[in-house]
Amino acid sequence: MSVTNTQTAPTTSATILPFAEPARAVRDSRPLRLITCGSVDDGKSTLIGRLLWDTKAVKEDQAATLKRDSGAQNDLGLPDFALLLDGLQAEREQGITIDVAYRYFATDRRSFIVADTPGHEQYTRNMATGASTADLAILLVDARTGLLEQTRRHATIASLMGIKQFVLAVNKIDLVAYDKAIYDKISHDFRELALSLGVRQITAIPMSALKGENVVYDGRASMAWYEGPTLVETLELATTRSAQAGGFRLPVQRVARPGESFRGYQGTVAGGSVKPGDSVTILPSGMVANVKQIVTFDLVRNAAVAGDAVTLVLDRQVDVSRGDMIVSMDGQPMTGLNFDAQLVALQPGGIEPAKGYWLKSGSRRQRVTVTPVSQLELSSGKWKAHHEALGMNAIGKVHLSFDEAAIFDPYDQNRATGAFIIIDPDTNNTVAGGMVTGRRSDLGGIHRDGQRVILSLPADLADELMATEAFAARRDEADIRRVSAGRAAELLGDIK
């Protein structure tokens, strides 16, 4: 077993046998970002605390404090591992997780960044925050209760956030006498849920987070019927998302003018790569230039890749402002006034139809109108037509309409340029987080939502059509959505 320290697991009421140490593998230099999620009291904090403990990521003073603060938390004489994650006073008093806690640990094969997220429904927004940067989701299920609505909610949000690797941790298996039939049923139910969400990479592991069985050390002494990997073995072999494959993306955060002879465009590369001599396009203007130089705070570079904070110097004077995006000539992002998206409502007021909001994506902030189309029914896993306000924690499909051209990639292709937040202009609260799924036609877009047809038309044309007898006779079968009034004249001119 390739952990930082190969000492066997602490003795518990069940004897836990460590795996034999395999041949040393080449260390993966890319850290894996993962999230733990699931319903309340499924053991998320305890699991991560146990991971930290058994991989020797807990310092001596932390271990001493943990033992002092644990008290009589269980009848096994083990520390309360959840205290390694639940640092807020309210979390410790209530025995719940409220805020996202990030921790770091490593094995001989790779390093990990783990986010422990709340299980309570009212803290769903915190879970969505943790999922937005994760490569893998560990979804915990209490073996005594099976899948719950919050389990489905978290699995759905994780999949919407682009996570395609799931570990199903059937926790507290010791409390059901290590019953294989219970594990098999929960695994089957979850696989059906995951497949409905488009997730194909699923690893199910029966475990006891408190005892440490099948976490870092195997639990075959208690579960001889399970022959799969431990949690750590699964994490060591997981893959990370690559932002290098797509086209170059640099959202401009600042225009640097330290002197008359220098003008640079600063930002963090959000996708792809670039080198001096490459031709680039500035969006939304569409102007073209070549990269003359790539500068960082201490040197001149011969290339920049996703994640690099750089200053680009172009070979000609072009109009570039904060919020613009410098992209490769090939494989450009989508631009337009209307997009389809999915979002999670994060505030009690929810998302109101036809209300104007601010949408922020990267360094770009724009006015937007959000039109709900459907809402996910968590009990059935089906999308239901919904044109009213989206309440807190609702997951919905929406149409986004802008007054000025917006720039996005589909979220499943580029997280950085496909994600956004919605801000209420009246309160400055972030009321939703979302992901762009595609661009809608500016004129005459036809979409189907269940049994209803959705037509996207300029406002005046929409009014004319709605006034006809033919539309009145089919009103129950179709809806009409108005595009931005500022574009209506131009669109109608294109038709002529």
Side-chain angles (χ1 to χ4, degrees):
M1 180 63 230
S2 54
V3 296
T4 303
N5 188 314
T6 56
Q7 179 180 338
T8 57
T11 302
T12 67
S13 58
T15 302
I16 303 172
L17 301 177
F19 274 98
E21 184 75 24
R24 184 176 296 274
V26 176
R27 182 177 177 82
D28 192 333
S29 61
R30 299 166 299 174
L32 180 75
R33 302 184 70 98
L34 58 132
I35 179 178
T36 58
C37 50
S39 193
V40 180
D41 294 331
D42 282 347
K44 296 179 292 298
S45 296
T46 299
L47 173 61
I48 300 307
R50 186 81 209 207
L51 264 176
L52 299 176
W53 186 269
D54 284 350
T55 56
K56 312 306 176 186
V58 180
K59 295 184 172 69
E60 290 184 5
D61 58 337
Q62 291 177 305
T65 301
L66 176 64
K67 292 176 180 178
R68 183 196 68 203
D69 294 346
S70 293
Q73 294 294 326
N74 54 72
D75 56 8
L76 300 175
L78 295 173
D80 183 2
F81 296 111
L83 296 181
L84 291 171
L85 282 295
D86 294 337
L88 298 178
Q89 182 177 352
E91 293 178 324
R92 294 185 173 223
E93 290 174 348
Q94 300 178 51
I96 63 172
T97 299
I98 296 174
D99 202 1
V100 181
Y102 292 92
R103 294 294 184 271
Y104 308 86
F105 68 98
T107 68
D108 288 343
R109 298 187 64 173
R110 78 187 313 171
S111 58
F112 304 90
I113 303 172
V114 57
D116 179 45
T117 63
H120 283 69
E121 181 177 349
Q122 61 264 41
Y123 303 126
T124 297
R125 55 189 175 184
N126 296 23
M127 179 268 160
T129 299
S132 64
T133 59
D135 303 302
L136 177 145
I138 302 173
L139 195 102
L140 277 85
V141 176
D142 189 326
R144 298 169 298 178
T145 59
L147 302 189
L148 302 174
E149 181 172 308
Q150 189 70 341
T151 314
R152 296 177 180 276
R153 177 180 284 108
H154 281 191
T156 301
I157 293 174
S159 68
L160 292 180
M161 293 293 181
I163 300 176
K164 299 303 180 185
Q165 301 173 95
F166 277 28
V167 173
L168 173 66
V170 184
N171 194 26
K172 305 184 182 181
I173 193 72
D174 55 313
L175 300 184
V176 294
Y178 302 98
D179 192 327
K180 182 178 184 296
I182 292 177
Y183 163 76
D184 288 340
K185 183 181 187 308
I186 293 174
S187 300
H188 177 268
D189 292 345
F190 181 76
R191 288 182 188 279
E192 287 192 340
L193 169 63
L195 290 174
S196 72
L197 298 173
V199 178
R200 299 289 184 271
Q201 193 168 341
I202 309 158
T203 303
I205 305 174
M207 66 177 63
S208 169
L210 180 62
K211 294 182 178 181
E213 296 170 310
N214 282 338
V215 181
V216 172
Y217 303 98
D218 76 84
R220 55 187 155 184
S222 303
M223 293 169 277
W225 47 265
Y226 177 72
E227 299 179 350
T230 64
L231 177 60
V232 160
E233 288 177 323
T234 303
L235 298 181
E236 287 179 333
L237 297 176
T239 57
T240 57
R241 291 174 59 107
S242 173
Q244 313 297 338
F248 173 69
R249 306 284 187 265
L250 180 75
V252 177
Q253 298 175 357
R254 182 173 180 268
V255 179
R257 286 295 306 276
E260 289 295 327
S261 60
F262 184 93
R263 180 192 296 267
Y265 307 104
Q266 299 177 330
T268 299
V269 179
S273 61
V274 70
K275 62 183 183 301
D278 286 353
S279 296
V280 293
T281 301
I282 292 85
L283 296 178
S285 68
M287 300 182 68
V288 176
N290 297 318
V291 177
K292 179 181 179 181
Q293 198 174 44
I294 303 173
V295 182
T296 63
F297 71 98
D298 60 347
L299 51 81
V300 176
R301 301 180 55 166
N302 57 14
V305 299
D308 290 344
V310 298
T311 300
L312 288 191
V313 180
L314 303 181
D315 66 344
R316 66 198 69 177
Q317 295 290 334
V318 291
D319 183 14
V320 183
S321 304
R322 172 180 167 84
D324 290 351
M325 190 181 295
I326 302 176
V327 304
S328 54
M329 293 283 288
D330 299 326
Q332 295 188 15
M334 305 176 294
T335 58
L337 297 174
N338 298 280
F339 291 84
D340 291 323
Q342 296 176 341
L343 55 74
V344 180
L346 305 176
Q347 293 289 340
I351 296 294
E352 301 176 21
K355 178 176 177 176
Y357 292 96
W358 285 111
L359 182 145
K360 190 173 188 302
S361 178
S363 56
R364 190 173 181 83
R365 191 174 79 155
Q366 295 177 265
R367 296 287 294 186
V368 68
T369 300
V370 182
T371 303
V373 175
S374 58
Q375 181 173 329
L376 182 65
E377 187 179 76
L378 290 167
S379 58
S380 66
K382 296 181 180 179
W383 293 93
K384 300 292 186 180
H386 184 92
H387 306 298
E388 307 300 323
L390 292 170
M392 184 173 176
N393 294 324
I395 301 170
K397 291 182 179 179
V398 300
H399 297 327
L400 305 177
S401 299
F402 296 88
D403 292 331
E404 299 177 345
I407 309 165
F408 293 108
D409 284 296
Y411 183 80
D412 60 2
Q413 296 179 17
N414 190 315
R415 283 184 174 184
T417 55
F420 60 85
I421 59 173
I422 301 292
I423 301 170
D424 188 329
D426 298 329
T427 63
N428 284 326
N429 287 334
T430 300
V431 295
M435 300 73 67
V436 170
T437 57
R439 185 171 67 89
R440 301 175 62 231
S441 171
D442 285 336
L443 179 65
I446 301 176
H447 306 272
R448 183 172 293 276
D449 180 32
Q451 299 299 316
R452 299 177 68 82
V453 173
I454 311 296
L455 302 177
S456 300
L457 299 170
D460 52 355
L461 186 58
D463 291 339
E464 290 182 17
L465 179 58
M466 286 189 291
T468 63
E469 294 182 3
F471 179 77
R474 311 295 291 270
R475 187 176 294 274
D476 294 336
E477 302 173 29
D479 284 333
I480 292 180
R481 299 285 184 264
R482 298 176 175 85
V483 300
S484 170
R487 284 274 285 164
E490 178 183 347
L491 294 169
L492 290 173
D494 291 341
I495 296 176
K496 298 176 183 177

